[in-house]
């Protein structure tokens, strides 16, 4: 289950896709420890570049990502995780997917409606 | 159509998804110029980190990616392109998708069959 962590300063790209709908929910990065934890626990775990630490997705919101299937690409520097997303949405801004803005006539426009209230989930 | 190129040394992550089947075909990176060319031309263009130059996907194989829809994520450092993939496969190793290996009992195993002969396409 080796991956190539050398091409992105110790990280691989992780694409998260809903296993039932095939919607792409988010993109994150994993270092070797996050990758190992993801495989061992079955919950998607990332490396936060801004906070410089491991980040179990859902640790504050409860919106965990249960891993159903893992694939890697030809040069093994990216992984594709098919997941069951626990809860109403993956995005901390209250949407089902982080990809809630579409390019429309040269501008980003919000194309989804919120699936939950982020203030209520992330308060405190 | 601004994106945040600051978090990944001048690049954003680009996830390529088949617009008809929703299969994730590949992950690449775009610098600002590749991003602009992608939008202007309607063909996915990446920045090759290894060759340090722009890379119009399909420039040698003819297997271009025709952009159908573009979304960005909450922090605007990744894009999701829904595409029509011209030709039998996106991966230079001869597969429909670069994600042709699945994790199976701790090992990467090829889970697809080749959709074309890469030697015939990339020769010379």
């Amino acid at each position: 289950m080796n991956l190539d962590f050398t091409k992105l300063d110790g990280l691989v790209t992780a694409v998260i896709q809903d296993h039932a709908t095939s919607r792409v929910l988010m993109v994150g990065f994993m270092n070797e420890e996050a990758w190992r934890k993801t495989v061992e626990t079955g919950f998607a775990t990332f490396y936060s570049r801004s906070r410089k630490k491991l980040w179990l997705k859902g640790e504050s919101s409860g919106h965990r990502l249960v891993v159903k299937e893992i694939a890697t690409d030809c040069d093994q520097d990216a992984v594709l995780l098919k997941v069951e997303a626990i809860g109403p949405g993956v995005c901390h801004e209250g949407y089902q997917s982080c990809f809630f803005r579409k390019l429309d006539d040269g501008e980003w426009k919000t194309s989804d409606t919120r699936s939950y209230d982020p203030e209520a989930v992330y308060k405190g």
Side-chain angles (χ1 to χ4, degrees), chain A:
Chain A
M1 49 174 263
N2 286 344
L3 292 173
D4 183 353
F5 291 93
T6 65
K7 287 161 76 183
L8 205 62
D9 293 332
L11 304 174
V12 295
T13 310
V15 179
I16 306 298
Q17 187 177 30
D18 187 290
H19 81 113
T21 67
S22 293
R23 183 164 190 190
V24 174
L25 301 175
M26 62 174 284
V27 170
F29 296 92
M30 294 180 183
N31 63 5
E32 204 155 356
E33 191 183 356
W35 163 241
R36 205 178 56 243
K37 279 202 186 283
T38 297
V39 174
E40 282 172 8
T41 64
F43 295 107
T45 305
F46 302 96
Y47 178 77
S48 166
R49 295 172 297 164
S50 53
R51 290 179 286 156
K52 298 193 194 315
K53 62 171 195 170
L54 285 201
W55 162 50
L56 168 67
K57 172 68 186 162
E59 63 193 358
S60 17
S61 65
H63 302 166
R64 294 195 182 198
L65 302 172
V66 181
V67 178
K68 296 289 188 180
E69 187 184 290
I70 304 178
T72 191
D73 67 347
C74 41
D75 44 9
Q76 296 186 218
D77 62 356
V79 288
L80 171 64
L81 274 65
K82 295 196 182 177
V83 305
E84 181 189 345
I86 306 296
V90 158
C91 183
H92 73 290
E93 293 197 25
Y95 295 91
Q96 187 192 40
S97 164
C98 291
F99 291 94
F100 61 83
R101 286 191 197 94
K102 281 187 191 155
L103 195 62
D104 179 1
D105 214 7
E107 288 184 23
W108 295 117
K109 294 193 182 145
T110 299
S111 50
D112 284 8
T113 50
R114 281 210 165 91
S115 56
Y116 71 96
D117 175 6
E119 298 268 332
V121 169
Y122 291 98
K123 70 185 172 193

